[in-house]
């Protein structure tokens, strides 16, 4: 089985590393020249849950994928805003049997994917694994908890089973989600509160939790997200989700979420349009007001403009 | 006529200086010891529209006002959250004829004042003059535009005339407001957008205007404020107010509003509860939703907590 990891930054190269260690025929693909160059030259230097590895893992720049290469399974790990361009360069290397695995943060990525493949080819999911990139070719991966995957349509169920097997062989703890949409929306609650607020307030999760006012902000954002989630027939209890979010922030207190890292540390544009922005947009489509999700989306964009984020 | 300026920080000492120069029997009163000490020792050093003055103007600490002193007119210039405590210490020095002049930023200060005096004694207004304090005893005052004052009840109209006369004698450009509530709400639109957003985004007004997203934030906040203003029978056109705000930000571009100065420069608690917070609260009383005004209020409070603002 030929596997591609399209978008091999922090999380992508982490998943790629575990697949490689499980002796899958895996290839990393990325369009960030320094990363491609470094991994080609010195291999991937990666710390997985504290253990250091140097892996001579194959990597292609997105422009140099061999013309006749067709992959059986493609794991997608680009930033949300790059998904279309990644699918554009992967399209010639996908056929009707290729399984597309999308465990990216954000909502409704399947709308983009469905332009390229049948719904039965899409395996959607969420992951609690986190990763970071210290410098080109040097990354880390942290996690143990499940990678929950599921089918958007019944015809995708056999593909989900295949992905779970691959994930488990690679010690990435794959499980079939009991309720895929609920899993996705619960992750949106996590990202739509922790990511946006730590980027706006420039703090970590522990500091966020310390303020009653910040907790009120978390509650208000969650309240709207839970309301909009009903359009996917997902019914969450706002108080239960809120408790879960506060507990989670306590547990991973010193962590700075990816949006903070993107905007504050690296001065990069954020995924806000695919998280809070997507909630507001989906709400609007279904006549559910989500004013504070829209407000924080615009606030993060204003901050991107002012910092000249790239 | 004995005049007191209760709260003699930047704007208070500026108004006091002009009254003193017009030879009114004016006394500054403040409870910030360094300011009182400096003015007592070296006089008030003040730059008014570029001209430097050193004025030997009387000042009392709030604890040392002579027991039998009664003032004919009291100008109030404390921070909003200090209004009750200022009125507590001024109460023994006010009688049924004392005129209370409140041109402070914020909504519904008259609810506090009415606990101490009759409505006919209250002259409410707004000012476009700005001021700053460089160090104790050293301040500046900038302005020329009108100090608009008006009556909340018809019985206060003669008092309004007296205040206008005093302001004009002191070259502070007093005018009777054509529509007091409209003036107050228009000022709330200014403060509720420029102050809150520059404090959250840590930028000046020019930078704020440069981002389309920031302009969207201004628009959304204004939209709610204009809606809540209807409870005071004030009917503003949101697009006209928005244009006015954008023009104003352009004109005074390099300026950092008082809330930015309080929170970011001086790490002080802000007046957010009296501006956006007051809009949300008044909206709630009248069943008008103002979610983004409430959200930015909580956001500023969260930022105060995280900075340990005093």
């Amino acid at each position: 089985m030929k596997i591609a990891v399209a978008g091999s930054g922090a999380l992508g190269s982490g998943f790629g590393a575990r697949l490689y260690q499980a002796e899958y025929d895996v290839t990393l693909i990325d369009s960030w020249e320094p990363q491609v160059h470094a991994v080609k030259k010195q291999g991937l230097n990666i710390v997985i849950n504290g253990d250091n590895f140097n892996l001579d893992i194959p990597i292609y720049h997105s422009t140099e994928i061999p013309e006749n290469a067709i992959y059986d399974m493609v794991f997608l790990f680009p930033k949300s805003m790059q998904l279309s361009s990644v699918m554009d360069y992967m399209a010639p290397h996908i056929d009707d049997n290729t399984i597309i695995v999308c465990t990216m943060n954000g909502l409704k990525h399947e709308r983009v994917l469905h332009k390229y493949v049948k719904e039965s080819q899409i395996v959607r999911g969420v992951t609690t694994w986190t990763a970071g990139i210290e410098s080109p070719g040097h990354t880390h991966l942290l996690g143990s908890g499940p990678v929950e995957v599921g089918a958007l349509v019944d015809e995708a169920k056999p593909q989900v089973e295949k992905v779970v097997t691959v994930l488990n062989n690679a010690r990435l703890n794959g499980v079939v989600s009991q309720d895929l949409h609920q899993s996705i929306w619960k992750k949106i609650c996590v990202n739509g509160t922790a990511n946006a607020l730590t980027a706006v307030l420039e703090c970590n999760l522990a500091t966020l939790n310390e303020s009653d006012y910040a907790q009120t902000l978390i509650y208000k954002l969650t309240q709207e997200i839970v309301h909009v989630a009903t359009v996917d027939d997902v019914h969450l209890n706002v108080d239960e989700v809120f408790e879960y979010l506060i507990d989670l922030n306590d547990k991973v207190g010193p962590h700075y979420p990816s949006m903070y890292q993107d905007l504050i540390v690296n001065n990069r544009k954020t995924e806000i349009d695919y998280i809070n922005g997507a909630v507001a947009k989906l709400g609007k489509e279904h006549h559910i007001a989500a004013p504070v999700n829209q407000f924080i989306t615009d606030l993060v964009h204003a901050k991107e403009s002012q910092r000249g984020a790239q």
Side-chain angles (χ1 to χ4, degrees), chain A:
Chain A
M1 177 162 36
K2 279 174 80 70
I3 300 180
V5 177
S8 294
L11 204 54
S13 63
F15 271 55
R18 279 263 158 130
L19 291 164
Y20 179 80
Q21 289 176 322
E23 299 187 359
Y24 278 106
D25 175 8
V26 62
T27 305
L28 305 183
I29 302 173
D30 209 281
S31 47
W32 189 42
E33 177 55 46
Q35 172 81 344
V36 176
H37 181 76
V39 174
K40 273 187 182 170
K41 204 170 164 190
Q42 313 151 23
L44 174 68
N45 194 279
I46 185 166
V47 181
I48 303 179
N49 288 338
D51 296 324
N52 203 338
F53 302 95
N54 193 281
L55 307 177
D56 196 19
I57 186 169
I59 189 163
Y60 289 136
H61 191 279
S62 55
T63 56
E64 60 176 10
I65 309 170
E67 252 181 57
N68 58 349
I70 296 289
Y71 297 95
D72 301 299
M73 195 176 282
V74 176
F75 284 87
L76 292 168
F77 285 108
K79 288 280 171 193
S80 297
M81 45 284 207
Q82 295 155 353
L83 181 57
S84 283
S85 67
V86 166
M87 288 305 291
D88 283 342
Y89 70 63
M90 288 308 296
H93 310 289
I94 285 171
D95 68 14
D96 279 358
N97 297 313
T98 304
I99 301 172
I100 306 292
V101 190
C102 175
T103 60
M104 297 158 59
N105 288 333
L107 271 182
K108 302 295 168 191
H109 292 310
E110 51 272 24
R111 289 183 180 178
V112 175
L113 300 178
H114 192 34
K115 292 179 190 164
Y116 299 86
V117 295
K118 302 189 298 284
E119 281 183 304
S120 59
Q121 294 179 257
I122 303 170
V123 173
R124 187 76 173 88
V126 295
T127 170
T128 55
W129 290 64
T130 62
I133 190 158
E134 282 72 39
S135 62
H138 291 73
T139 70
H140 68 263
L141 179 69
L142 283 170
S144 65
V147 180
E148 292 182 50
V149 289
L152 295 160
V153 291
D154 281 349
E155 300 77 53
K157 283 184 176 172
Q159 284 65 266
V160 170
E161 293 298 338
K162 284 182 194 163
V163 172
V164 167
T165 303
V166 169
L167 287 169
N168 283 328
N169 288 343
R171 293 181 300 141
L172 284 159
N173 198 5
V175 297
V176 179
S177 175
Q178 294 301 307
D179 183 336
L180 177 63
H181 286 295
Q182 182 166 304
S183 300
I184 291 172
W185 278 99
K186 233 174 149 179
K187 192 72 195 291
I188 288 287
C189 289
V190 174
N191 289 321
T193 54
N195 273 276
L197 289 171
T198 57
V200 167
L201 290 166
E202 301 188 23
C203 65
N204 65 15
L205 293 166
T207 309
L208 194 65
N209 258 17
E210 277 164 21
S211 158
D212 288 346
Y213 290 105
Q215 294 202 16
T216 303
L217 298 169
I218 292 171
Y219 194 89
K220 292 302 288 181
L221 289 165
T222 305
Q223 208 171 31
E224 286 184 2
I225 296 170
V226 164
H227 191 185
V228 176
T230 57
V231 309
D232 277 340
D233 208 16
V234 169
H235 303 276
L236 298 164
N237 178 298
V238 65
D239 291 313
E240 278 172 25
V241 175
F242 175 72
E243 288 302 322
Y244 162 76
L245 296 173
I246 297 296
D247 282 354
L248 189 64
N249 288 351
D250 270 340
K251 269 183 206 145
V252 290
H255 179 61
Y256 288 88
S258 60
M259 198 173 289
Y260 176 96
Q261 291 180 38
D262 284 340
L263 185 57
I264 308 303
V265 179
N266 298 313
N267 225 33
R268 284 199 208 113
K269 287 195 175 167
T270 71
E271 297 187 293
I272 194 79
D273 281 341
Y274 302 86
I275 304 172
N276 305 83
V279 170
K281 192 178 163 215
L282 193 65
K284 206 171 177 185
E285 285 173 23
H286 294 268
H287 310 286
I288 297 176
V292 303
N293 277 277
Q294 184 60 58
F295 193 78
I296 205 160
T297 302
D298 292 327
L299 201 53
V300 169
H301 281 313
K303 201 158 174 164
E304 288 171 351
S305 307
Q306 281 162 22
R307 298 173 65 96
Q310 293 296 321

